[in-house]
Amino acid sequence: MPKVMMTGDEAVAWGAIHAGITISTAYPGTPASEIQETVASSGTGTNYVWAANEKVAYENALGASYANQRALVSMKHIGLNVAADPFINSAFTGVNGGLVLAVGDDPSMYSSQNEQDSRFYAQFAKTFAMEPSDPQEAYEMTKEAFEISEMLHLPVLLRLVTRLCYGESPVELGGEKRRENELKIERDPKRWVVVPSHARMLHKSLNEKQKVLEEISQNSRFNSMILKSKKRGIIASGIAYAHAMEHWDGETSILKIGTYPLPMKMVREFLDYCEEIFVVEEGEPIIERALAQISPKIHGKLDGTFPRQWEMTPDLVAKALRLPYSPPSPIADLPPRYPTFCPGCGYNFTFKVLKKLNPQAIMGDIGCYSLAVFPPFEAMDTTVCMGASIGMALGLAYVGVKKPVAVIGDSTFFHAGLPAMVDAVHNNADILVLIMDNELVAMTGGQPTPASAEDGKTPVTLEQILTGIGATFDVLNPYRPEEELIAKFREMFEKPGPVVLISRSPCITEAKRRAK
Amino acid sequence: MKKIDLVIAGVGGQGNLLLAKLLSLVALEEGWDVKRSEIKGLAQRGGSVLSQVRMGEKIWSPLIQLGSADFLLGLDPVEALRNFQFLSPEGKALVSSNFAPNPIKFSEEEVLEKARSLKFLLIPALDLAKKVGSPQSANIVILGALSNFLPFSLSTFEKIMKENLKRLQEENLKAFALGREEIQRIS
């Protein structure tokens, strides 16, 4: 088959399609959104669902797996915090149909609020993880991950990073789409109902499985070793392996890691063979810490050979190996460039007015509107995580701050704002919730929200929800004259208790994209 | 061993990613190994956008080391200067002399002066693209300019452009030719 250029995200999607998934579930999040986008546009008719949040997406996949179907679930690293509950517990219940969780980590935080390392989650859940070093491997690993998942009856975590997700290289797709599993339900409440008496047994059997996980890792073709020079060796995993190989002199011994738990027999052989070892890994020093406990030869992030934060690069490897490295100095005093709202976006007008009214506290959230922190608006005081705007505004109101503002997007409201909104009404909290409604998930490329009527789906509107919980709300058209906007805001500020203002302006960038 | 590393600097909406894609497809078509890397998400909202394209016998990392790029392509002079660190001492910078809108006030002449002092080859990419009636083809003007320096046949460039540019194909081919001529004129 001819090779085609593919990103890591695309390769994961095709791996899952060829592995015979019945469904792909996801909540959008950079750098993983394009996995689901690829499934959606694959032309294979594979069923896919954008869930309201990552927890729901994971539970959808687990439900499908319960009925013996193969399921792919994808999300960004921070999304796994939201899905952590079902993920961790599904290692206890185990899975029936293969379940693969593809997570996009974002080292250096190109589009995220932190750079947490998802490999921790695999350790936490005591399940198997795989880490591809390029798109070809991402494709092959994804297919194999489904086999391993069904063999172990465990979810398998595929750890991706931005440079893999958005890095493109030639990929050779192999073979045909595997037949989907037979749809069947076999009740097994001792496994699937995690009441304490069952859970105690499930934890024991999960622990007993660990030996098998290690054996699979030990024999995996995704781990490999080149024993050459005894003086110096490199242990590298995932995309960091590619950065390390960039500087390979043909002499240094190499141990490539692609699966977790670590293939310890191989690792011990390597540790015995080499006198000095560099561990090159993306994210936290997970491999390094495991090895530093058993060998004094290890260099990495813990001893300062590499920085503790931000992404691994070929530059850092060159410096660590003391190779010639003298880049030119950066050009000083260049005019800065801040990301901002697209020209003509309604957000421009809403934030201009909000800035003028200068409320005591503006609690922000995750989405395009977080850009309001930058000039010329500077109208955002906090941004912590999905849904935190309303939850934190409630905290302020509970301690006596008058009418703090919570700014939250429509998709984020559905994702994690809803429970806090219910609390706001229940506690009659004195807050103003400003819902920035652009009628889709804009920042990640225009995915639909539950309010969308696309593909014959039933729109669940903000108005229906707010009416249902008895919240006072009004709708703002940000394209109206400024005095009108100010008057509307003032009116809402003066109402006691929780009030909601929906600033509605469909995303113009998405409208332009669709017009093409 | 053959190897060409290119960095493309610009801002959201300038066709940076498309330019990188065309380049990688040309190299692939000519039988080279290719890796391409880009940053999306927040960066798309009018911020800086950087693509990296690497081509050669065998490419490992998708990332280009600072001080080692053979070409720095700039769709905006400020963004090109911002990424000057990537360029190797022997490398070439092919940069648009037209500025992308930026709400921050600064002296364009000072920026261009700096670019000239670093021996950037400045091309009025947007002006040339407007000449063929397609302002969004400034990226293709730069591609045409670059084609003078790459060991790939013109017919491969044309084939890849025809296969991948469904809209404004005529205009793009003209923009490519203008960029190609402009370099021959100024260098």
Side-chain angles (χ1 to χ4, degrees), chain A residues 198-492:
Chain A
H198 294 171
R200 283 179 203 117
M201 289 300 108
L202 292 171
H203 194 189
K204 183 161 177 279
S205 82
L206 178 59
N207 283 335
E208 284 162 0
K209 264 188 206 173
Q210 298 304 306
K211 272 208 294 286
V212 190
L213 268 67
E214 278 158 34
E215 260 166 49
I216 293 175
S217 197
Q218 190 57 42
N219 297 318
S220 169
R221 67 188 165 110
F222 297 114
N223 303 314
S224 59
M225 193 154 63
I226 303 172
L227 295 179
K228 288 234 170 178
S229 163
K230 288 187 179 254
K231 279 215 149 56
R232 187 149 85 178
I234 292 178
I235 299 179
S237 68
I239 196 104
Y241 169 74
H243 300 330
M245 287 306 284
E246 190 63 37
H247 295 297
W248 194 46
D249 53 9
E251 266 311 303
T252 305
S253 295
I254 302 276
L255 171 57
K256 172 182 176 292
I257 299 289
T259 65
Y260 305 83
L262 292 172
M264 282 312 291
K265 241 162 79 185
M266 213 180 232
V267 167
R268 280 178 204 279
E269 191 186 336
F270 197 81
L271 291 181
D272 289 342
Y273 186 85
C274 298
E275 287 165 24
E276 186 184 32
I277 293 167
F278 292 83
V279 177
V280 191
E281 60 190 316
E282 190 69 288
E284 294 296 320
I286 289 180
I287 299 174
E288 184 188 353
R289 191 168 276 131
L291 305 194
Q293 287 170 357
I294 52 176
S295 167
K297 304 172 181 173
I298 305 293
H299 300 292
K301 301 187 179 194
L302 294 173
D303 74 348
T305 303
F306 293 108
R308 276 302 297 269
Q309 63 287 315
W310 310 333
E311 72 178 341
M312 186 58 72
T313 61
D315 305 60
L316 294 174
V317 177
K319 280 193 256 183
L321 299 179
R322 294 183 202 91
L323 300 173
Y325 181 75
S326 51
S329 317
I331 312 277
D333 302 323
L334 287 171
R337 177 175 286 281
Y338 301 107
T340 188
F341 303 131
C342 305
C345 172
Y347 287 20
N348 289 292
F349 312 108
T350 311
F351 279 106
K352 196 177 162 206
V353 166
L354 189 60
K355 172 80 179 168
K356 270 195 180 159
L357 292 170
N358 195 24
Q360 208 179 342
I362 306 175
M363 304 286 105
D365 224 298
I366 308 286
C368 287
Y369 43 93
S370 59
L371 299 179
V373 69
F374 297 118
F377 304 104
E378 298 173 271
M380 192 65 73
D381 300 328
T382 66
T383 296
V384 177
C385 67
M386 296 285 280
S389 59
I390 305 179
M392 287 176 70
L394 286 179
L396 288 171
Y398 293 157
V399 297
V401 176
K402 193 173 162 6
K403 263 308 186 268
V405 178
V407 182
I408 186 167
D410 49 332
S411 183
T412 307
F413 182 81
F414 287 114
H415 176 288
L418 206 41
M421 191 67 231
V422 170
D423 271 0
V425 174
H426 180 62
N427 294 310
N428 195 30
D430 189 33
I431 64 171
L432 187 145
V433 178
L434 175 62
I435 303 183
M436 303 300 293
D437 183 11
N438 52 19
E439 302 186 339
L440 42 77
V441 196
M443 184 68 98
T444 50
Q447 293 81 9
T449 73
S452 159
E454 267 172 54
D455 303 326
K457 300 209 177 190
T458 306
V460 177
T461 66
L462 294 169
E463 283 90 336
Q464 283 174 329
I465 289 174
L466 294 170
T467 305
I469 62 175
T472 304
F473 69 91
D474 207 339
V475 180
L476 183 79
N477 173 0
Y479 296 106
R480 300 292 303 164
E482 195 173 301
E483 314 81 70
E484 229 178 87
L485 305 187
I486 290 178
K488 178 71 79 186
F489 263 102
R490 288 234 161 93
E491 182 195 324
M492 296 306 273

Side-chain angles (χ1 to χ4, degrees), chain A residues 15-28:
Chain A
I17 291 167
H18 286 169
I21 52 168
T22 306
I23 191 164
S24 169
T25 67
Y27 182 81

Side-chain angles (χ1 to χ4, degrees), chain A residues 337 342-343 509 512 516, chain B residues 10-18 43-49 75 100-101 126 135-139:
Chain A
R337 177 175 286 281
C342 305
T509 294
K512 270 190 225 155
K516 274 190 187 170
Chain B
V11 307
Q14 289 189 314
N16 183 325
L17 309 183
L18 176 65
Q44 281 182 316
R45 300 282 174 264
S48 310
V49 177
L75 299 169
L126 184 62
Q136 60 267 57
S137 299
N139 55 347

Side-chain angles (χ1 to χ4, degrees), chain A residues 111 163 166-170 242-243 245-247 314-315 325 327-328 331 334-337 339-340 368 371 442, chain B residues 11 28 34-40 42 45-46 54 60-61 63 65-66 79 81-82 85 100-102 104 106 118:
Chain A
S111 204
R163 296 295 186 175
Y166 290 158
E168 201 182 53
S169 56
H243 300 330
M245 287 306 284
E246 190 63 37
H247 295 297
D315 305 60
Y325 181 75
I331 312 277
L334 287 171
R337 177 175 286 281
T340 188
C368 287
L371 299 179
Chain B
V11 307
L28 187 70
V34 191
K35 280 208 161 79
R36 176 165 85 92
S37 174
E38 64 196 35
I39 289 302
K40 291 189 188 177
L42 253 183
R45 300 282 174 264
R54 310 194 63 204
W60 285 102
S61 172
L63 297 182
Q65 198 172 304
L66 294 183
E79 293 310 312
L81 286 168
R82 210 187 299 289
Q85 272 198 295
N102 188 345
I104 305 283
F106 62 94
L118 294 167

Side-chain angles (χ1 to χ4, degrees), chain A residues 333 335, chain B residues 78 81 99 104-114:
Chain A
D333 302 323
Chain B
V78 177
L81 286 168
F99 288 79
I104 305 283
K105 296 262 174 294
F106 62 94
S107 157
E108 296 192 347
E109 199 34 55
E110 270 173 37
V111 170
L112 291 176
E113 202 40 58
K114 185 82 208 167

